[in-house]
Amino acid sequence: MSNNIRPETMERITTPELAKAFIDEKLVELREQIGDKKVLLALSGGVDSSVVAALLIKAVGKQLVCVHVNHGLLRKGEPEQVVKVFRDEMDANLVYVDAVDRFLDKLVGIAEPEKKRKIIGAEFIRVFEEEARKQEGIEFLAQGTIYPDILESGPVKAHHNVGGLPEDLQFELVEPLKFLFKDEVRVVGDALGLPANMVYRQPFPGPGLGVRCIGAITRDRLEAVRESDAILREEFAKNGLEGKVWQYFTIVPDFKSTGVKNDKRSYEWPVIIRAVNTRDAMIATVEDIPFSLLQHITSRITSEVAGVNRVLYDLTPKPTGTIEWE
Ligand code: XMP
């Protein structure tokens, strides 16, 4: 366990200079550890895995094999950004796996939240395992473990862990961020030149939009979650709320209500907006969003998102509500 305790002498990384020193030190360590061998990394596009990827690309270039699994539950534009940043701009060895149908087919008719999570987690390991088997000569598995994951503090589960691979696929772990706190990871990500919207991204659950498309996931309702979430994010960014609100997203429940659209009766889904502030995700307060902005977002969502005729704002703090709805 002793090598899982952050050294007391380790300075907190708060400036670009300290980040640069950390990066230089890690580059030496990583090159020493990895030598001329190959490293595998599940790259979700979240902050932690993106920073690990950028660091390893600098350290060992094409010896790093990044696997990006698109499970169909990512936010609008995310898979495209992973390809653009890592393959096109950083020239990484990136395997893009379109597993959308696989995941969504497995989830048909599954309404129970924990069952959905299990299916998504298990399928993720399966897809990753298949890709790992296609690669030759992998000796290391890189992971975006950060210090809070080791401390297991609080209910922040926002971390992709690829533990659970079968016995014959056990690689030596490479965890260069394991002593860093989230804010330090972001400073390092900035120093590595990753785009700000990747580095300062809000927490996003592993099962992604899957737990925001309430009950059994259908493709059309999932699109309503994705499109409404994109509008919310765009409006929050435009109105300076991006860095002020800890987590904000939309939810689409599995019921409909009546409405009127283009002089005709409609029977469609509502979209629920959730925007909360918290320090550690244990307790959360609801953000006081300007009413005029909520009205503007409502009008955009009801006119631009197919199948939606109402927008609601969730006023519930945690407790009694959790941050997510499932
Ligand atoms: P709750 O909903 O429990 O969420 O108040 C607290 C924080 O954890 C995130 N969350 C998850 N993260 N897998 C994850 O990686 C999950 O299954 C999961 N469920 C919730 C949630 O987004 C919030 O930041």
PDB file of all heavy atoms in Angstrom, residues 89 98 104 164 184 207 245 271 285 312:
ATOM      1  N   GLU A  89      -4.589  15.731 -34.548  1.00  0.00           N
ATOM      2  CA  GLU A  89      -3.663  16.768 -34.078  1.00  0.00           C
ATOM      3  C   GLU A  89      -2.429  16.201 -33.369  1.00  0.00           C
ATOM      4  O   GLU A  89      -1.334  16.713 -33.524  1.00  0.00           O
ATOM      5  CB  GLU A  89      -4.402  17.754 -33.154  1.00  0.00           C
ATOM      6  CG  GLU A  89      -5.407  18.591 -33.938  1.00  0.00           C
ATOM      7  CD  GLU A  89      -6.375  19.371 -33.073  1.00  0.00           C
ATOM      8  OE1 GLU A  89      -6.123  19.516 -31.858  1.00  0.00           O
ATOM      9  OE2 GLU A  89      -7.398  19.831 -33.618  1.00  0.00           O
ATOM     10  N   ASP A  98     -16.569   1.705 -33.181  1.00  0.00           N
ATOM     11  CA  ASP A  98     -17.984   2.072 -33.207  1.00  0.00           C
ATOM     12  C   ASP A  98     -18.785   0.891 -32.668  1.00  0.00           C
ATOM     13  O   ASP A  98     -19.060  -0.071 -33.375  1.00  0.00           O
ATOM     14  CB  ASP A  98     -18.407   2.394 -34.647  1.00  0.00           C
ATOM     15  CG  ASP A  98     -19.893   2.731 -34.723  1.00  0.00           C
ATOM     16  OD1 ASP A  98     -20.618   2.543 -33.716  1.00  0.00           O
ATOM     17  OD2 ASP A  98     -20.338   3.178 -35.795  1.00  0.00           O
ATOM     18  N   LEU A 104     -26.495  -0.538 -27.619  1.00  0.00           N
ATOM     19  CA  LEU A 104     -27.922  -0.207 -27.603  1.00  0.00           C
ATOM     20  C   LEU A 104     -28.786  -1.460 -27.779  1.00  0.00           C
ATOM     21  O   LEU A 104     -29.851  -1.570 -27.180  1.00  0.00           O
ATOM     22  CB  LEU A 104     -28.251   0.869 -28.645  1.00  0.00           C
ATOM     23  CG  LEU A 104     -27.555   2.214 -28.400  1.00  0.00           C
ATOM     24  CD1 LEU A 104     -28.049   3.273 -29.386  1.00  0.00           C
ATOM     25  CD2 LEU A 104     -27.729   2.712 -26.962  1.00  0.00           C
ATOM     26  N   GLY A 164     -10.869  -5.866 -14.363  1.00  0.00           N
ATOM     27  CA  GLY A 164     -11.910  -6.808 -14.780  1.00  0.00           C
ATOM     28  C   GLY A 164     -11.567  -7.506 -16.080  1.00  0.00           C
ATOM     29  O   GLY A 164     -12.356  -8.299 -16.579  1.00  0.00           O
ATOM     30  N   GLU A 184      -5.274  19.475 -10.114  1.00  0.00           N
ATOM     31  CA  GLU A 184      -3.888  19.344 -10.582  1.00  0.00           C
ATOM     32  C   GLU A 184      -3.847  18.672 -11.961  1.00  0.00           C
ATOM     33  O   GLU A 184      -3.053  19.049 -12.827  1.00  0.00           O
ATOM     34  CB  GLU A 184      -3.074  18.516  -9.591  1.00  0.00           C
ATOM     35  CG  GLU A 184      -3.002  19.124  -8.200  1.00  0.00           C
ATOM     36  CD  GLU A 184      -2.188  18.260  -7.248  1.00  0.00           C
ATOM     37  OE1 GLU A 184      -2.663  17.150  -6.898  1.00  0.00           O
ATOM     38  OE2 GLU A 184      -1.090  18.658  -6.852  1.00  0.00           O
ATOM     39  N   PRO A 207     -21.559   5.435 -17.318  1.00  0.00           N
ATOM     40  CA  PRO A 207     -22.664   4.969 -18.175  1.00  0.00           C
ATOM     41  C   PRO A 207     -23.279   6.088 -19.009  1.00  0.00           C
ATOM     42  O   PRO A 207     -24.247   5.869 -19.737  1.00  0.00           O
ATOM     43  CB  PRO A 207     -23.701   4.430 -17.186  1.00  0.00           C
ATOM     44  CG  PRO A 207     -23.087   4.483 -15.840  1.00  0.00           C
ATOM     45  CD  PRO A 207     -21.926   5.403 -15.890  1.00  0.00           C
ATOM     46  N   VAL A 245     -20.980  26.511 -12.734  1.00  0.00           N
ATOM     47  CA  VAL A 245     -21.891  25.453 -12.279  1.00  0.00           C
ATOM     48  C   VAL A 245     -21.141  24.125 -12.384  1.00  0.00           C
ATOM     49  O   VAL A 245     -20.556  23.810 -13.421  1.00  0.00           O
ATOM     50  CB  VAL A 245     -23.181  25.422 -13.125  1.00  0.00           C
ATOM     51  CG1 VAL A 245     -24.172  24.423 -12.556  1.00  0.00           C
ATOM     52  CG2 VAL A 245     -23.800  26.812 -13.180  1.00  0.00           C
ATOM     53  N   VAL A 271     -38.425  17.402 -21.163  1.00  0.00           N
ATOM     54  CA  VAL A 271     -36.988  17.397 -20.868  1.00  0.00           C
ATOM     55  C   VAL A 271     -36.825  18.054 -19.506  1.00  0.00           C
ATOM     56  O   VAL A 271     -37.432  19.091 -19.239  1.00  0.00           O
ATOM     57  CB  VAL A 271     -36.200  18.196 -21.931  1.00  0.00           C
ATOM     58  CG1 VAL A 271     -34.823  18.600 -21.402  1.00  0.00           C
ATOM     59  CG2 VAL A 271     -36.021  17.378 -23.201  1.00  0.00           C
ATOM     60  N   THR A 285     -26.296  21.779  -4.063  1.00  0.00           N
ATOM     61  CA  THR A 285     -27.355  22.800  -4.071  1.00  0.00           C
ATOM     62  C   THR A 285     -27.742  23.074  -5.516  1.00  0.00           C
ATOM     63  O   THR A 285     -26.943  22.886  -6.444  1.00  0.00           O
ATOM     64  CB  THR A 285     -26.852  24.115  -3.445  1.00  0.00           C
ATOM     65  OG1 THR A 285     -25.644  24.492  -4.115  1.00  0.00           O
ATOM     66  CG2 THR A 285     -26.588  23.953  -1.956  1.00  0.00           C
ATOM     67  N   LEU A 312     -38.810  21.168 -17.923  1.00  0.00           N
ATOM     68  CA  LEU A 312     -38.965  21.342 -16.474  1.00  0.00           C
ATOM     69  C   LEU A 312     -37.596  21.619 -15.856  1.00  0.00           C
ATOM     70  O   LEU A 312     -36.572  21.168 -16.373  1.00  0.00           O
ATOM     71  CB  LEU A 312     -39.538  20.067 -15.840  1.00  0.00           C
ATOM     72  CG  LEU A 312     -40.731  19.409 -16.547  1.00  0.00           C
ATOM     73  CD1 LEU A 312     -41.072  18.079 -15.883  1.00  0.00           C
ATOM     74  CD2 LEU A 312     -41.940  20.318 -16.527  1.00  0.00           C
TER      75      LEU A 312
END
